[in-house]
Amino acid sequence: MYLRDRPNIIFVGRVIPNIRIDDLIKFFHAYRLKYNADSRLILVGAYGGFEDYVSSLHELVARLGVQNVHFVGHVSNEELTALYNVADLFLSASEHEGFCVPLMEAFYKEIPVVAFSAAAVPDTLDGGGVLYENKDPSRVASIMQAVLLDEVLQDQIILSQNAALERLM
């Protein structure tokens, strides 16, 4: 993997409050301001029953003035595969996860994962990916930049993710 001029940051999962899409938007905003204004945030997942939350997320995007935030919604398996194929980083801020299948999908697609260390996420990652414990947007943005810029680090992350995936299988 290499750093594209326009890196694609992806999140896959239901768009509901405990998943903290608002935090992802704040992290992405900090990343765009400090590191790469041409990056994109791709948010994939259903939001049925949570239209008010999605509306508040659109308001947050507008208030921050952050561009290139794409709410894709529910997609087919083929579309999901295509979105994973263009992703450079999987970013998660969820505060309440059980076993999070999209993390394993990102592992399988060899996309570096950066995830908040909460609930079952550390157990799911099983030593793979990168965990963060501080939700300061500037700090998370710097982690994102480090992962996206450093090919050696990317390779180490992918190796750790592959090992965790092997243990799971």
Side-chain angles (χ1 to χ4, degrees):
M1 183 182 292
Y2 60 94
L3 180 63
R4 298 177 218 246
D5 292 336
R6 276 188 98 165
N8 294 308
I9 315 304
I10 192 170
F11 171 78
V12 176
R14 289 189 62 211
V15 181
I16 58 178
N18 65 294
I19 302 298
R20 300 308 307 252
I21 304 299
D22 53 321
D23 285 339
L24 294 179
I25 292 167
K26 292 171 189 172
F27 302 158
F28 179 69
H29 178 60
Y31 176 77
R32 281 180 51 89
L33 286 176
K34 192 169 183 181
Y35 299 108
N36 192 327
D38 291 327
S39 56
R40 290 180 278 210
L41 177 62
I42 303 167
L43 301 167
V44 182
Y47 50 83
F50 291 91
E51 289 78 7
D52 289 344
Y53 178 62
V54 173
S55 178
S56 75
L57 295 174
H58 284 286
E59 289 171 13
L60 174 63
V61 167
R63 189 175 75 248
L64 294 174
V66 63
Q67 296 181 7
N68 289 327
V69 176
H70 305 278
F71 291 87
V72 179
H74 179 77
V75 298
S76 69
N77 286 335
E78 293 80 14
E79 292 166 321
L80 181 58
T81 297
L83 289 166
Y84 275 129
N85 286 341
V86 299
D88 299 296
L89 180 81
F90 187 102
L91 182 63
S92 175
S94 180
E95 294 179 350
H96 183 73
E97 283 292 341
F99 185 84
C100 185
V101 172
L103 295 174
M104 294 298 99
E105 291 172 342
F107 277 20
Y108 180 78
K109 296 299 284 182
E110 295 193 337
I111 302 162
V113 170
V114 175
F116 184 57
S117 183
V121 170
D123 291 333
T124 301
L125 294 185
D126 190 22
V130 176
L131 291 169
Y132 62 92
E133 295 181 358
N134 182 327
K135 283 194 169 186
D136 174 65
S138 181
R139 186 174 201 146
V140 176
S142 70
I143 294 169
M144 294 166 62
Q145 177 70 349
V147 172
L148 287 167
L149 270 187
D150 189 335
E151 289 184 40
V152 173
L153 178 59
Q154 288 175 21
D155 290 343
Q156 291 170 343
I157 292 167
I158 297 303
L159 285 173
S160 73
Q161 292 177 180
N162 288 342
L165 202 53
E166 278 283 318
R167 288 188 294 276
L168 179 65
M169 291 181 169

